[in-house]
Amino acid sequence: GNSVTQMEGPVTLSEEAFLTINCTYTATGYPSLFWYVQYPGEGLQLLLKATKADDKGSNKGFEATYRKETTSFHLEKGSVQVSDSAVYFCALKRTGRRALTFGSGTRLQVQP
Amino acid sequence: DAMVIQNPRYQVTQFGKPVTLSCSQTLNHNVMYWYQQKSSQAPKLLFHYYDKDFNNEADTPDNFQSRRPNTSFCFLDIRSPGLGDAAMYLCATSRSSSDSNQPQHFGDGTRLSIL
C-alpha cells in the first residue's frame, strides 16, 4: 500500500539556521508529492508540490526535490524564521486516486 | 478570496448527542473531503464526494455520515459521538481528480469536544 514516513519531531532550530525535514514514501506507480504546513489552530495549507521525478517544488524559500531513485521528497529551507514554526506534513497522491496519504507530521520550533 | 469555510470553529457536544459540522466553498471545486485529525497525528480521510457520488473509506465507522446538498456545501454528521470522536475535523476541496497534480485546499477545521 501507499505510505509516507517523516522524521519525528520536534525539530528545534535557531533563527536563520538551515532546515531539513526528511520524507520518504512507498507507492506504486508515479505519485504526486506535496508538502503542507499547519499553523497552530488552523487547517492545512499547501506549501509546495512536485509531480514527476526530478521536479523541484519551491515556495516562500522552501524547496523539495522529487527523488524517484531514493523515493524521497525532503523539505529544505536555507534560513528559517520564527514565523516558520508550524507542523509540516508530507503527502502523496497516487495517479487515479483522489485521496492524499499523509505522513505523521513534523513539528518545527524556531527560536529567536 | 475564494476559500473553504468551516463552521463552527469549535463545537462542544454531549456524549451520544448527534452533531453536524458544516463546510462551504467558493472555489467551485467538484470534489469535497472530510478528514479527522486527532492530536499530534496526520489527517485521516473519512470520505469524499466526487460531484454527488459519495465515496466512503473502508475503515470509517458507521457513526459518521455525510451530505452534500449542492456543489458549495458539505456536512459531516456524527450520529452518536463517543469520547474517541473528539478531534479536529478538516474539510478540503479539489478540482476533478483525473489529474493527480491537483492539490487539496483545506478549511481551518472544526475542533470537536465531547462532554
Side-chain angles (χ1 to χ4, degrees), chain A residues 30-32 34 36 38 41-44 46 49 51 89 93-100 102-105 107, chain B residues 9 31 33 35 37 40-43 45 48 50 55 57 88 90 94 97 99-104 106-108:
Chain A
Y30 300 92
S32 292
F34 304 85
Y36 281 84
Q38 186 175 33
E42 298 184 11
L44 279 69
L46 178 66
K49 69 177 185 180
T51 59
F89 289 95
K93 190 176 181 192
R94 218 179 71 199
T95 303
R97 280 272 292 166
R98 300 184 191 114
L100 285 169
F102 285 94
S104 55
R107 181 175 299 279
Chain B
R9 291 294 309 275
V31 191
Y33 308 80
Y35 288 86
Q37 185 182 24
S40 302
Q41 296 183 21
L45 182 65
H48 73 277
Y50 180 74
N55 298 269
E57 292 299 299
M88 174 79 89
L90 296 168
S94 69
S97 58
D99 174 4
S100 67
N101 299 343
Q102 296 302 318
Q104 294 182 13
F106 285 80
D108 283 340

Side-chain angles (χ1 to χ4, degrees), chain A:
Chain A
N2 302 323
S3 66
V4 177
T5 303
Q6 289 182 237
M7 61 188 289
E8 286 197 24
V11 173
T12 302
L13 296 173
S14 298
E15 208 163 21
E16 299 183 1
F18 184 86
L19 168 71
T20 301
I21 300 178
N22 290 338
C23 170
T24 58
Y25 68 90
T26 302
T28 55
Y30 300 92
S32 292
L33 301 173
F34 304 85
W35 276 100
Y36 281 84
V37 58
Q38 186 175 33
Y39 297 101
E42 298 184 11
L44 279 69
Q45 300 176 25
L46 178 66
L47 184 58
L48 53 84
K49 69 177 185 180
T51 59
K52 61 183 186 294
D54 300 324
D55 263 5
K56 177 185 279 187
S58 62
N59 186 27
K60 299 180 182 179
F62 291 90
E63 293 183 341
T65 301
Y66 189 145
R67 301 284 187 204
K68 183 106 178 111
E69 64 279 9
T70 55
T71 61
S72 65
F73 193 54
H74 305 323
L75 182 69
E76 296 181 336
K77 187 176 185 182
S79 176
V80 293
Q81 306 300 313
V82 173
S83 57
D84 293 326
S85 298
V87 180
Y88 292 81
F89 289 95
C90 185
L92 70 82
K93 190 176 181 192
R94 218 179 71 199
T95 303
R97 280 272 292 166
R98 300 184 191 114
L100 285 169
T101 299
F102 285 94
S104 55
T106 302
R107 181 175 299 279
L108 170 65
Q109 298 173 337
V110 181
Q111 298 174 338

